[in-house]
Amino acid sequence: MSKLTHLDESGSAHMVDVGGKAETRRAAVAEGRITMSPMALEAVRNGNAPKGDVLATARIAGIMAAKKTSDLIPLCHPLPISSVDIDFRFLDDAIFARTEVRLTGKTGVEMEALTATSAALLTIYDMAKALDKTMVIGGVRLLEKSGGKSGDWKAQE
Amino acid sequence: MSKLTHLDESGSAHMVDVGGKAETRRAAVAEGRITMSPMALEAVRNGNAPKGDVLATARIAGIMAAKKTSDLIPLCHPLPISSVDIDFRFLDDAIFARTEVRLTGKTGVEMEALTATSAALLTIYDMAKALDKTMVIGGVRLLEKSGGKSGDWKAQE
Amino acid sequence: MSKLTHLDESGSAHMVDVGGKAETRRAAVAEGRITMSPMALEAVRNGNAPKGDVLATARIAGIMAAKKTSDLIPLCHPLPISSVDIDFRFLDDAIFARTEVRLTGKTGVEMEALTATSAALLTIYDMAKALDKTMVIGGVRLLEKSGGKSGDWKAQE
Amino acid sequence: MSKLTHLDESGSAHMVDVGGKAETRRAAVAEGRITMSPMALEAVRNGNAPKGDVLATARIAGIMAAKKTSDLIPLCHPLPISSVDIDFRFLDDAIFARTEVRLTGKTGVEMEALTATSAALLTIYDMAKALDKTMVIGGVRLLEKSGGKSGDWKAQE
Amino acid sequence: MSKLTHLDESGSAHMVDVGGKAETRRAAVAEGRITMSPMALEAVRNGNAPKGDVLATARIAGIMAAKKTSDLIPLCHPLPISSVDIDFRFLDDAIFARTEVRLTGKTGVEMEALTATSAALLTIYDMAKALDKTMVIGGVRLLEKSGGKSGDWKAQE
Amino acid sequence: MSKLTHLDESGSAHMVDVGGKAETRRAAVAEGRITMSPMALEAVRNGNAPKGDVLATARIAGIMAAKKTSDLIPLCHPLPISSVDIDFRFLDDAIFARTEVRLTGKTGVEMEALTATSAALLTIYDMAKALDKTMVIGGVRLLEKSGGKSGDWKAQE
């Protein structure tokens, strides 16, 4: 039967030993979106017009959250990540975020990409929450990963 | 036209002044879920069997994240929150999280409830990611809030 | 003879007791500047052109640093600050930053305003350092403060 | 035209990828000073007399800030720094701080040296601010760096 | 039967609601000691001789740890502490630390006093560990507390 | 005469340079215990009965504290630790904690193991403090270390 690697044989949580793993070039891409009312979406668009700081604020929040991942997720290893890129795209009823994190190291950066994406979307939520209380953050998932022993992987469309 | 309160008239991000607001009893409830394969869900269930730490780990991650909200979300105020409660429920293809945060203070705790929910779900993701790379975190939204000038609010079912 | 309040009678550092002080509306304004070559200054200007994130990044860094002041400056009290505003202005050979922090509380927010200003300028330094290694951060000082027992104060021009 | 490496082609902030760079021995030295009234300077001197903790407090603040650099400066990489040394010198109207940071790693430690210097000077400011509100922190700059592809560099006197 | 207030009726950890409690003046005093070899103790004494930073470093570590208590202890409330004082005393085979923390707030500061004491002793351990690997930290306990509904309390000698 | 390596020749604290040391597989094991009344111990046991979160909460606190060691102990190096394991054992009048930390790196992880142990015990203290104010944390010490130039070491029973 499948078991969670983050629990030892007695069921106690522990930080898995990655000390013996090789350092390889790794990357992970995650995505997510925040759905909102047309009025809120319009306000974000306007707030992001030239000189407006909306998406820049969310992007910085996401980048900084990637660096805090091991401080937020109890069993994550502290990782000296090499790069973080976050892009946003406006959909009809949502804003879409996509994050890529890279590392040369002993374990993957999926959690860093997912945490950055979540923090970026929560930051948009914070800025728009006075206009719309029904926003929903969803579709937060891994798109692809590369490097490491388990090899490359891509989500199906 | 509606505008984002977190931007000043020139479009720059700022932390909104809440100094003149009254201290009232406030609460916010947020929810979210992580969808996963039957095999991963079964492993989480087993990992949470007597003595297993899975959901306890996620709960602690969420509670601690609630306290870090203003360190993660750039324009959030630091708030001396009064309480945090996080509950989990197993659905057929998902684990559902519900967080309630309380505060006696000058601004609401919606972001604390949403951030705690996200961190708890990300922690479950981390523990199950070796078993299922297609998990999705979604439905992260506000369920209700009370207190403050804008009054009480409840999401529609 | 004048003595430092942050040392006790034996010369040991301690966090001064503010528990008996009244909660009042307080504010502090600080300023500072980063001097750089025309080429670097031009690159920052262009990087801040519509859609460019340079000053937004520095502003967010400053706002977040204001919230971290008591974590950086050993004898500062943790303070639930009410607002932070940071403005930038381009001079001929420098970028000038001005930060205002507000609080309803028991002690002043001078250090929060100065720390935010320093972090914002260091962030600009970071982004321009590949272009100019001779940049200098200077003129970091308090411009005015209000509230509290010691009353209002303004720097001379 | 020169461009900021911390912005991608669309002007968005990102953390630059250093994953492909070689690990080399690197060092950076930064300096800065805090100018203050003779009375405040005298109080700091006395507060630093045998058993007094003033400069020790500032030094520890600086060392700890060096380790927090990537948490303060949004686009800085987290770096496992090898050493930090901070020295102070009393001038006639100022206290001068000089910080050296070392690392074996993929990117330079200029920001760590500058951030440590700023935090050390802000800590002195905090301890002396009840005596002098006109103190100014200035001259914060890089003195020299070594290691890495761009090679060694020294500031002119 | 006595139950832990930090668990709800289903045994789940939660942050206890203190929102309805009154704000009162509170204080807590904790103590602890680190036992070490005569050689290590002598080195700490010398390292603390005029201009030496040993105990100042430990004291700053303790003060800063008091402010981080709610970030370290999962179910502790974030508290705007009013003051922290840490004293050290040399015993024949140990260094003794005593911490007093004060707060005007809704819950006690015992954990802040105990956490500060532990961090101060761990910092001494760190500085002396190259000289003595058999050091032991012990006797970490509450000495007295005042304020709050449960009233004043003093440990027996 | 023996001297503290964490002080330079003038007695100033500094972070020792480990840049020239080799990366080796390292481990450290630390232990400690919290002594408490039979009633408090019984409550912890019950709180840890199936579905109860007491020891899971303390374990997560310890694991997260191991990752924060360099943020708590001023002269510790930031280290990308490979694993953390914390076990608890019930004694007649105490709960005993044992922590093992592993790293492939340039300096030892004794402080990480001791800090994790302390945080885990403080977390148990926090949960039981309403039942027993006379609890004592003690016996916090290094049990063994391996790796590095100074070689392996084991405490005597």
Side-chain angles (χ1 to χ4, degrees):
Chain A
M1 197 193 66
S2 295
K3 276 190 39 187
L4 301 182
T5 52
H6 290 61
L7 300 187
D8 65 18
E9 65 281 6
S10 69
S12 297
H14 67 146
M15 197 189 298
V16 178
D17 194 353
V18 298
K21 296 171 78 174
E23 295 218 338
T24 63
R25 271 300 248 156
R26 292 156 187 276
V29 182
E31 68 169 14
R33 67 176 173 272
I34 180 168
T35 309
M36 60 180 73
S37 70
M39 185 191 70
L41 199 62
E42 181 68 14
V44 172
R45 266 185 201 282
N46 291 334
N48 202 48
K51 296 273 160 241
D53 284 355
V54 178
L55 294 188
T57 301
R59 188 179 288 115
I60 296 303
I63 291 172
M64 295 181 87
K67 295 190 274 186
K68 281 188 231 279
T69 301
S70 72
D71 194 41
L72 278 169
I73 311 300
L75 305 176
C76 274
H77 294 85
L79 296 178
I81 51 182
S82 303
S83 72
V84 187
D85 286 273
I86 305 183
D87 293 317
F88 297 102
R89 196 151 39 92
F90 281 93
L91 306 183
D92 276 353
D93 62 345
I95 300 168
F96 182 88
R98 183 187 178 281
T99 304
E100 177 161 5
V101 179
R102 292 176 179 279
L103 167 81
T104 301
K106 300 188 174 199
T107 187
V109 283
E110 296 97 307
M111 293 315 301
E112 282 68 16
L114 290 157
T115 300
T117 302
S118 297
L121 295 172
L122 286 165
T123 299
I124 296 175
Y125 192 111
D126 181 40
M127 291 190 279
K129 73 178 187 292
L131 299 178
D132 184 2
K133 286 182 182 58
T134 67
M135 293 181 290
V136 181
I137 292 174
V140 178
R141 62 171 186 143
L142 186 66
L143 279 185
E144 53 180 280
K145 68 180 289 285
S146 61
K149 213 177 68 180
S150 71
D152 297 356
W153 180 86
K154 264 195 154 171
Q156 291 179 309
E157 282 315 297
Chain B
M1 198 194 67
S2 296
K3 278 188 37 185
L4 301 182
T5 52
H6 290 61
L7 300 187
D8 66 17
E9 63 280 7
S10 68
S12 297
H14 67 147
M15 197 189 298
V16 177
D17 194 354
V18 298
K21 295 171 79 174
E23 295 218 337
T24 63
R25 272 298 250 158
R26 293 156 187 277
V29 182
E31 67 169 15
R33 68 178 172 271
I34 179 167
T35 309
M36 61 180 73
S37 70
M39 184 191 71
L41 199 62
E42 181 68 14
V44 172
R45 266 185 199 281
N46 291 334
N48 201 47
K51 294 272 160 242
D53 283 354
V54 178
L55 294 187
T57 302
R59 188 179 289 115
I60 296 303
I63 292 172
M64 295 182 88
K67 297 191 273 186
K68 282 189 230 278
T69 301
S70 71
D71 194 42
L72 278 170
I73 312 298
L75 305 177
C76 273
H77 295 85
L79 295 178
I81 51 181
S82 302
S83 73
V84 186
D85 286 272
I86 306 185
D87 293 317
F88 298 102
R89 197 150 40 88
F90 282 93
L91 306 184
D92 276 354
D93 62 347
I95 300 167
F96 181 89
R98 183 188 177 280
T99 304
E100 176 161 8
V101 180
R102 293 177 178 277
L103 167 81
T104 301
K106 300 188 173 199
T107 187
V109 283
E110 295 96 311
M111 293 315 301
E112 281 71 14
L114 290 158
T115 300
T117 302
S118 298
L121 296 171
L122 286 164
T123 299
I124 296 174
Y125 192 111
D126 181 41
M127 290 190 279
K129 72 179 190 291
L131 300 177
D132 184 1
K133 286 182 181 57
T134 67
M135 291 181 291
V136 181
I137 293 174
V140 178
R141 61 172 186 142
L142 186 66
L143 278 186
E144 52 181 282
K145 67 180 288 287
S146 62
K149 215 177 69 180
S150 72
D152 297 356
W153 180 87
K154 264 196 153 170
Q156 290 181 309
E157 283 316 298
Chain C
M1 197 192 67
S2 295
K3 279 189 37 186
L4 301 182
T5 51
H6 290 61
L7 299 186
D8 65 19
E9 64 280 7
S10 69
S12 297
H14 66 146
M15 196 190 298
V16 179
D17 193 354
V18 299
K21 296 171 79 173
E23 295 218 336
T24 64
R25 266 308 243 154
R26 293 156 187 277
V29 182
E31 66 169 17
R33 67 177 174 273
I34 180 167
T35 308
M36 60 179 74
S37 70
M39 184 191 70
L41 199 62
E42 182 67 12
V44 173
R45 265 186 201 282
N46 291 334
N48 201 47
K51 295 273 159 242
D53 284 355
V54 179
L55 295 187
T57 302
R59 187 179 289 116
I60 295 303
I63 291 172
M64 294 182 88
K67 296 190 273 186
K68 282 188 229 277
T69 301
S70 71
D71 194 43
L72 278 170
I73 312 298
L75 305 177
C76 273
H77 295 84
L79 295 178
I81 52 182
S82 304
S83 73
V84 186
D85 285 273
I86 305 184
D87 293 317
F88 297 101
R89 197 151 39 89
F90 281 93
L91 305 183
D92 276 354
D93 62 346
I95 299 168
F96 181 88
R98 182 187 178 281
T99 304
E100 176 161 5
V101 180
R102 293 177 179 278
L103 168 80
T104 301
K106 300 189 172 197
T107 187
V109 282
E110 296 96 309
M111 293 315 301
E112 281 71 15
L114 291 156
T115 300
T117 301
S118 298
L121 296 171
L122 286 165
T123 299
I124 296 175
Y125 192 110
D126 182 40
M127 290 190 279
K129 71 177 190 293
L131 300 177
D132 183 3
K133 286 182 180 57
T134 68
M135 292 181 290
V136 181
I137 292 174
V140 179
R141 62 172 185 141
L142 186 66
L143 278 186
E144 53 180 283
K145 68 180 286 285
S146 62
K149 213 176 72 181
S150 71
D152 297 357
W153 179 87
K154 265 198 152 166
Q156 289 180 310
E157 283 314 298
Chain D
M1 200 193 64
S2 295
K3 277 190 37 186
L4 302 182
T5 51
H6 290 60
L7 299 187
D8 65 19
E9 64 280 10
S10 69
S12 297
H14 67 149
M15 195 188 299
V16 178
D17 194 354
V18 299
K21 297 171 77 174
E23 296 219 337
T24 64
R25 269 301 249 157
R26 293 156 188 276
V29 183
E31 67 170 14
R33 67 178 173 272
I34 180 167
T35 309
M36 59 179 75
S37 70
M39 184 190 70
L41 199 62
E42 181 68 13
V44 172
R45 267 186 199 280
N46 291 334
N48 202 48
K51 296 270 159 247
D53 284 354
V54 178
L55 295 188
T57 302
R59 188 179 289 116
I60 296 303
I63 292 172
M64 294 181 88
K67 295 190 274 186
K68 282 187 229 278
T69 301
S70 71
D71 194 41
L72 278 170
I73 311 299
L75 305 177
C76 274
H77 295 84
L79 296 178
I81 52 182
S82 303
S83 73
V84 186
D85 285 274
I86 306 184
D87 292 317
F88 297 101
R89 197 151 40 90
F90 281 93
L91 307 183
D92 276 354
D93 63 346
I95 300 168
F96 181 89
R98 182 186 179 282
T99 304
E100 176 161 7
V101 180
R102 292 176 180 279
L103 168 80
T104 301
K106 300 188 173 198
T107 186
V109 282
E110 296 97 308
M111 293 315 302
E112 281 70 16
L114 291 157
T115 299
T117 302
S118 297
L121 296 171
L122 285 165
T123 298
I124 296 175
Y125 192 110
D126 182 40
M127 290 190 278
K129 72 177 189 292
L131 300 177
D132 183 2
K133 286 182 181 56
T134 67
M135 291 180 292
V136 181
I137 292 173
V140 179
R141 62 173 185 140
L142 186 66
L143 279 185
E144 52 181 282
K145 67 180 288 286
S146 62
K149 213 177 71 180
S150 72
D152 297 357
W153 180 88
K154 263 197 153 167
Q156 290 180 311
E157 282 315 298
Chain E
M1 197 192 68
S2 296
K3 278 189 37 186
L4 301 182
T5 52
H6 290 61
L7 300 187
D8 64 19
E9 64 280 7
S10 69
S12 297
H14 67 147
M15 197 188 299
V16 178
D17 194 353
V18 299
K21 296 171 78 175
E23 295 218 337
T24 64
R25 272 298 249 159
R26 293 157 187 276
V29 182
E31 67 170 15
R33 67 176 173 272
I34 180 168
T35 309
M36 60 180 73
S37 70
M39 184 191 70
L41 199 63
E42 182 67 14
V44 172
R45 265 185 200 282
N46 291 333
N48 201 47
K51 296 273 158 241
D53 284 354
V54 178
L55 295 188
T57 301
R59 188 179 289 116
I60 295 303
I63 292 172
M64 295 181 87
K67 296 191 274 186
K68 282 189 228 278
T69 301
S70 71
D71 194 41
L72 278 170
I73 312 299
L75 305 177
C76 274
H77 294 85
L79 296 178
I81 52 183
S82 303
S83 73
V84 186
D85 286 272
I86 305 184
D87 293 316
F88 298 102
R89 197 151 38 90
F90 281 93
L91 306 183
D92 276 354
D93 63 344
I95 300 168
F96 182 89
R98 183 187 177 281
T99 304
E100 177 161 6
V101 179
R102 291 177 180 278
L103 168 80
T104 301
K106 299 188 173 197
T107 188
V109 283
E110 297 96 309
M111 293 316 301
E112 282 71 15
L114 291 158
T115 300
T117 301
S118 298
L121 295 171
L122 286 165
T123 299
I124 296 175
Y125 192 111
D126 181 41
M127 291 190 280
K129 73 178 187 291
L131 300 177
D132 183 3
K133 285 183 183 56
T134 67
M135 292 181 290
V136 181
I137 292 174
V140 179
R141 62 172 186 142
L142 185 66
L143 279 185
E144 52 180 283
K145 69 180 289 283
S146 62
K149 213 176 71 179
S150 73
D152 298 357
W153 180 87
K154 265 196 152 170
Q156 290 180 309
E157 285 314 299
Chain F
M1 199 193 65
S2 296
K3 276 188 41 186
L4 301 182
T5 51
H6 290 61
L7 299 187
D8 65 19
E9 65 280 7
S10 69
S12 296
H14 68 147
M15 196 189 298
V16 178
D17 194 353
V18 299
K21 297 171 79 174
E23 296 218 337
T24 63
R25 269 302 248 155
R26 293 158 187 276
V29 182
E31 67 169 15
R33 68 177 173 270
I34 179 167
T35 309
M36 61 179 73
S37 69
M39 184 191 70
L41 199 61
E42 181 68 13
V44 172
R45 265 185 200 281
N46 291 333
N48 202 48
K51 295 274 158 238
D53 284 354
V54 178
L55 294 187
T57 301
R59 187 179 290 115
I60 296 302
I63 291 171
M64 295 181 87
K67 296 191 273 186
K68 283 188 228 278
T69 301
S70 71
D71 193 42
L72 278 170
I73 312 298
L75 305 176
C76 274
H77 295 83
L79 296 178
I81 51 181
S82 303
S83 73
V84 187
D85 285 274
I86 305 185
D87 292 317
F88 298 102
R89 196 152 39 90
F90 281 93
L91 306 183
D92 276 353
D93 62 345
I95 300 167
F96 181 89
R98 182 186 178 281
T99 304
E100 176 161 7
V101 180
R102 292 176 180 278
L103 168 81
T104 300
K106 299 188 174 200
T107 187
V109 283
E110 297 96 309
M111 293 315 301
E112 281 70 16
L114 290 157
T115 299
T117 301
S118 297
L121 295 171
L122 286 165
T123 298
I124 296 175
Y125 192 111
D126 181 40
M127 290 190 279
K129 72 179 189 293
L131 300 178
D132 184 0
K133 287 183 180 58
T134 67
M135 291 181 291
V136 181
I137 292 174
V140 178
R141 62 172 186 142
L142 186 66
L143 278 186
E144 52 180 282
K145 68 182 287 287
S146 62
K149 212 176 73 180
S150 72
D152 296 357
W153 180 88
K154 262 195 154 172
Q156 291 179 310
E157 283 315 297

